[in-house]
């Protein structure tokens, strides 16, 4: 079946309403290609989307999907994947959704290492609410709610992930279509929580973290001689504040995903049409 | 009704009160006696005091009363705390060799049994067994065959080796013989045994067992008193039935995990209490508007905020009915007994899936932590029926596609119920969202579609009202002029209050309502009655308000919000007083 699947099968019939030039177009295209390339089809894929411009991705893609509450996409993905190990789960949302209102869930989703992919469409701004500072905005980034800049350092999502025991940490740039797709694909194939922070520029509200900025500043870890299985090396890259990079920065090749750790491998949607066999033993326990 | 007997053990946290009480309750249950336990009651003094009470009879017992016949007091305060309930002839077992107990005075005509609990325990193999020595002494006082205690000790300790079981049995016998030899006293109590087999369980366990019986496979929760026992029960058991329990980082996460599993097609559930319900309310509208079947169990405790976390209250009714912004239907079920906790859980899962709607299943603290005996066939697994509602598979999905070929999970139908396709079903891919949506689940702000979707969701409720049985449970004299209405765990106390009032010549008709929404139409019953009293454990009378709203008539109210459940005798007196006031007015 997979051979017949084309990435356009993952497109819904809704035309995206993103601003022309928005990074999210490229981010979504790469995700659809990565899903198709890894042998998935819309009927065995579940996309969980956050709230934000980024969160609209659930509407523009065709698959089983849930477009939920702001910041809670990861727990939803966790529930889907545990209940349905046979389904490919991809979670996508913005930097505000993932690192601000949903930051608590991010840390714990990383720790759990559920076998799913998490794509953060990082534009370093709140797009949908028309341009307020996000957790990844620069310290001096001026917005209507932070006229002098947030005056606090941006969150370092990769550092947060590494410290929480992540087994796959990567970064890509929506406009480098090939590399973006490759990186997301590697995250999908990873046995565990595949985390990709995607630089996905907002052309309307962020005039600092632009396409040009990323094109000029990004180095590709693949071209440097970075060994992603080396945690120490990953740490050095991640903590280097002057470095913008793309590529897989850390990958634990011995990753044991949640379902193996906890012995959950059944399709939980199938149940008997009465009490399960052996249920009477539960009553006997109370003698 | 045969005479009931009331027993308690009290001391400080860390004294092993709960496990000792549970062993005695189990021994009584195994001896074919009915048992009703309680751990929630008033404390007059600040913190630190804990007790476990057991009411038992050869007949059914379903509430607590203000009387204590035998008390094992590990601290002087235990006696003080229970003075009101002790009476002439009550027996107090204590260890006069314990430093704090040396100067203890046994009040009035009560019988004090000074038993060297610790010394006898040490002789039997360890001081830790002193409470078991006291249980042996209690067996002697109550003429209760000690073999039943042996059986309970075996159940409790067999995993830890036969030696420990033997030592405990010896400790119990040491207590028994001590009383027999030292106290030449005829006690008033005789705990007869019967050949009946009973099971002993609490409301949280009944909910957990009901969930497994109903095919629940996924449970996500965050620990909170008094709902944690549901999670503890499921952990280690649900896995044997292909399920999984996950401890989330908070309730925001727990409910979203449960939602995810439900969208995956699993029967899914979470349980929490007030503070957790507040957090879960964030996601409630999404569950309802995306038409996701989910069982949300709210084991109520005393609020607001952190309130009195280990105390009883039924204060969340309005929140469950109306909580969350916007307008969206939901079902609210409130089991009225521990056995019903099991059956209503099964029903909650069926209703959730048949109507693709979130179902609040609400118990309260006094039911959750109370154990009661039942015959095993009360939980007859063969009676469990599963109805998954309108689920379509690949074969019949074609009938539910839009003109452009998209699956329609929110198809506008006459009964309001749309088809459901689980992930993996070919042709069924669709979007679920908290945004208003069209039949395919795609965002819309089209005014007609908006109205059609709102109406369709409400139509599910109308359909459910027609198709399901929402009757209340009825007791007492159906012709009585006095009608008492209650909901949730007050049923047991009310059923026993009936008997007290009967002795006083007061006839009552009792309606115990397990369905808060949709709910039975009580108009005829209210109209037929001369006096109507609504009994509930809260201050404002949330259910009474609903009844008044439904029947357009004023009702009288009996409310309790001390944090302690109604005792049967107390409730009888309150109802009598309320009826008398009504007669004067
Ligand atoms: C509970 C809640 N609070 C606030 C909002 C308003 N809101 C919608 S999206 C958003 C921030 C979006 O930022 P981000 O996640 O970075 O997404 P982007 O639009 O940039 O893609 C906010 C604050 C909301 N929907 N829900
Ligand atoms: S506001 Fe920014 S993030 Fe939102 S669609 Fe427009 S460009 Fe994209
Ligand atoms: Mg953003």
């Amino acid at each position: 079946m997979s051979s017949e699947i084309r990435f356009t099968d993952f497109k819904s019939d809704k035309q995206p309403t993103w601003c022309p030039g928005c990074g999210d177009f490229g981010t979504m295209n790469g995700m659809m290609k990565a899903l198709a390339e890894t042998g998935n089809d819309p009927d065995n894929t579940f996309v969980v989307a956050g709230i934000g411009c980024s969160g609209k991705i659930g509407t523009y893609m065709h698959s089983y999907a849930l477009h939920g509450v702001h910041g809670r996409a990861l727990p939803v993905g966790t529930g889907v994947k545990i209940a349905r190990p046979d389904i490919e789960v991809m979670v996508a949302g913005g930097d505000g959704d993932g690192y601000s209102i949903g930051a608590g869930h991010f840390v714990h989703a990383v720790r759990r290492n559920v076998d799913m992919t998490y794509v953060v469409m990082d534009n370093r701004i709140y797009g949908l609410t028309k341009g307020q500072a996000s957790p990844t905005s620069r310290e001096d980034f001026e917005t209507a709610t932070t006229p002098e800049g947030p005056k606090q350092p941006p969150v370092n999502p990769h550092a947060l992930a590494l410290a929480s025991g992540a087994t796959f940490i990567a970064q890509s740039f929506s406009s480098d279509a090939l590399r973006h797709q490759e990186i997301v694909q590697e995250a999908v194939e990873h046995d565990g929580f595949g985390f990709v922070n995607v630089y996905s520029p907002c052309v309307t509200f962020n005039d600092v973290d632009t396409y040009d900025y990323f094109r000029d500043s990004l180095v590709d870890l693949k071209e440097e001689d970075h060994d992603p299985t080396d945690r120490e090396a990953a740490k050095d890259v991640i903590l280097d504040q002057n470095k913008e990079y793309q590529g897989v920065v850390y990958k634990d090749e011995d990753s044991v995903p949640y379902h193996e750790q906890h012995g959950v491998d059944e399709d939980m949607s199938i149940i008997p049409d009465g009490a399960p066999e052996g249920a009477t033993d539960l009553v006997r326990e109370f003698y | 009704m045969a005479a009931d007997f009331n027993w308690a053990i009290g001391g400080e946290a860390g004294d092993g009160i709960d496990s000792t009480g549970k062993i005695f309750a189990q021994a009584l249950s195994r001896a074919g006696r009915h048992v009703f336990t309680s751990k929630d009651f008033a404390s007059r003094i600040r913190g630190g005091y804990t007790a476990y009470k057991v009411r038992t009879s050869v007949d059914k017992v379903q509430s607590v009363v203000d009387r204590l016949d035998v008390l094992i007091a590990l601290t002087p305060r235990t006696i003080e705390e229970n003075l009101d309930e002790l009476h002439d002839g009550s027996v107090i077992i204590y260890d006069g060799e314990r430093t704090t107990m040396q100067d203890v005075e046994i009040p009035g005509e009560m019988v004090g049994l000074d038993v060297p609990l610790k010394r006898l325990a040490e002789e039997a193999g360890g001081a830790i067994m002193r409470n078991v020595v006291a249980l042996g002494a209690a067996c002697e006082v109550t003429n209760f065959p000690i073999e039943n205690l042996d059986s309970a000790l075996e159940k409790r300790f067999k995993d830890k080796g036969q030696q420990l079981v033997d030592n405990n049995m010896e400790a119990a016998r040491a207590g028994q013989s001590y009383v027999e030899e030292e106290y030449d006293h005829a006690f008033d109590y005789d705990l007869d045994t019967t050949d009946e087999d009973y099971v002993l369980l609490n409301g949280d366990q009944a909910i957990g067992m009901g969930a497994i019986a109903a095919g629940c496979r996924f449970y996500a929760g965050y620990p909170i008193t008094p709902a944690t026992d549901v999670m503890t029960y499921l952990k280690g058991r649900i896995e044997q039935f292909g399920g999984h329990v996950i401890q989330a980082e908070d309730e925001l996460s727990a409910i979203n995990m449960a939602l995810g599993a439900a969208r995956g097609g699993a029967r899914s559930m979470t349980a929490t209490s007030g503070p957790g319900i507040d957090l879960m309310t964030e996601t409630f509208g999404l569950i309802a508007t995306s038409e996701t079947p989910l069982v949300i169990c709210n084991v109520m405790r005393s609020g607001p905020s952190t309130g009195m976390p280990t105390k009883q209250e039924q204060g969340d009714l309005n929140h469950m009915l109306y909580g969350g912004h916007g307008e969206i239907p939901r079902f609210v079920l409130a089991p009225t007994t521990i056995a019903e906790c099991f059956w209503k859980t099964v029903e909650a899962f069926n209703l959730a899936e048949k109507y693709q709607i979130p179902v609040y299943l609400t118990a309260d603290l006094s039911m959750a932590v109370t154990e009661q005996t039942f015959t095993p066939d009360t939980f007859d697994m063969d009676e469990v029926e599963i109805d998954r509602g309108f689920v379509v598979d690949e074969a019949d999905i074609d009938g539910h596609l839009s003109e452009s070929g998209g699956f329609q999970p929110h198809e506008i139908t006459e009964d309001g119920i749309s088809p459901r396709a689980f992930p993996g079903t070919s042709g069924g891919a669709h979007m679920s969202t908290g945004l208003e949506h069209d039949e395919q689940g795609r965002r819309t702000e089209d005014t007609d579609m908006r109205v059609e979707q709102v109406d369709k969701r409400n139509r599910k409720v109308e359909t459910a009202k027609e198709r399901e049985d929402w009757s209340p449970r009825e007791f007492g004299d159906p012709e009585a002029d006095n009608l008492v209405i209650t909901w949730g765990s007050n049923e047991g106390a009310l059923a026993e209050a009936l008997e007290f009032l009967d002795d006083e010549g007061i006839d009552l008709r009792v309606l115990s309502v397990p369905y808060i929404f949709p709910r039975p139409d009580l108009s005829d019953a209210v109209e037929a009655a001369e006096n109507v009293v609504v009994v509930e454990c809260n201050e404002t009378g949330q259910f009474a308000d609903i009844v008044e709203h439904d029947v357009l008539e004023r009702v009288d109210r009996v409310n309790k919000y001390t944090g302690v459940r109604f005792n049967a005798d107390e409730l009888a007196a309150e109802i009598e007083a309320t009826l008398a006031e009504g007669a004067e007015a």
Side-chain angles (χ1 to χ4, degrees), chain A residues 13-14 43 58 63-67 72 75-76 79-80 84 105 108 112 258 264 268-269 275-277 285-287, chain B residues 26 30 155 200 213 237 244 249 257 260 264-265 282 376 388 422-428 430-432 442-443:
Chain A
D13 52 6
K14 278 261 173 183
D43 289 327
S63 71
Y64 284 89
L66 184 107
H67 180 223
R72 317 290 171 228
V76 175
V80 176
R84 297 298 304 274
H105 307 309
H108 296 282
R112 279 188 197 103
Y258 186 93
V264 277
M268 293 185 187
S269 71
E277 211 172 304
E285 255 189 74
F286 291 115
Y287 270 114
Chain B
Q26 197 90 52
R30 290 196 162 198
K155 177 172 166 127
L200 180 69
R237 291 186 178 83
H244 187 65
E249 58 273 25
M257 286 178 177
E282 178 194 57
R388 304 212 65 185
F422 298 155
T425 310
S426 277
H430 65 270
M431 165 87 160
S432 304
R442 300 173 308 180
R443 172 187 196 156

Side-chain angles (χ1 to χ4, degrees), chain A residues 17-25 52-54 56 121 123 125-131 200-206:
Chain A
T17 56
W18 287 317
C19 308
C22 174
D24 292 349
F25 286 100
C53 291
S54 42
K56 294 180 182 175
M121 300 149 90
N123 51 13
I125 192 138
Y126 283 6
L128 191 74
T129 47
K130 302 195 189 309
S200 191
C202 170
V203 293
T204 306
F205 297 111
N206 193 332

Side-chain angles (χ1 to χ4, degrees), chain A residues 1 12-14 17 41-49 51 55-84 86-87 101-102 104-109 111-112 114 128 258 262-287, chain B residues 26 29-30 155 197-202 205-206 209 212-218 233 235 237 240-250 252-254 256-267 282-283 286 290 292 353 376-377 379 381-382 384-386 388 397 404 421-435 438 440 442-444:
Chain A
M1 178 151 200
S12 81
D13 52 6
K14 278 261 173 183
T17 56
D41 65 72
D43 289 327
N44 85 338
T45 302
F46 201 109
V47 173
V48 187
I51 295 285
K56 294 180 182 175
I57 191 166
T59 310
Y60 308 145
M61 281 178 70
H62 174 60
S63 71
Y64 284 89
L66 184 107
H67 180 223
V69 174
H70 192 24
R72 317 290 171 228
L74 283 171
V76 175
T78 302
V80 176
K81 187 65 191 182
I82 292 174
R84 297 298 304 274
D86 55 318
I87 296 296
I101 193 167
H105 307 309
F106 175 61
V107 168
H108 296 282
R111 289 175 60 217
R112 279 188 197 103
V114 172
L128 191 74
Y258 186 93
H262 293 266
V264 277
D265 47 19
E266 280 190 45
D267 173 350
M268 293 185 187
S269 71
I270 303 162
I271 58 167
D273 54 12
E277 211 172 304
T280 301
D281 292 345
L282 297 172
V283 186
R284 287 200 197 104
E285 255 189 74
F286 291 115
Y287 270 114
Chain B
Q26 197 90 52
S29 163
R30 290 196 162 198
K155 177 172 166 127
D197 270 331
Y198 294 127
V199 290
L200 180 69
L201 66 164
N202 69 28
Q205 291 168 326
M209 182 163 72
I212 294 179
C216 172
R217 289 293 172 85
F218 186 88
Y233 175 82
K235 187 73 210 170
R237 291 186 178 83
Q240 295 161 26
F241 301 90
H244 187 65
V245 169
I246 183 166
Q247 182 175 322
E249 58 273 25
D250 52 37
L252 302 165
S253 178
N256 277 282
M257 286 178 177
L259 162 65
R263 295 277 7 139
R267 285 197 156 191
E282 178 194 57
T283 302
L286 168 65
S290 65
T292 305
E353 287 205 306
D377 63 5
F379 308 99
M381 293 293 175
D382 292 334
V384 171
E385 286 172 16
I386 305 294
R388 304 212 65 185
I397 206 150
S404 59
F422 298 155
T425 310
S426 277
H430 65 270
M431 165 87 160
S432 304
T433 172
L435 291 162
D438 63 12
Q440 290 183 59
R442 300 173 308 180
R443 172 187 196 156
T444 185

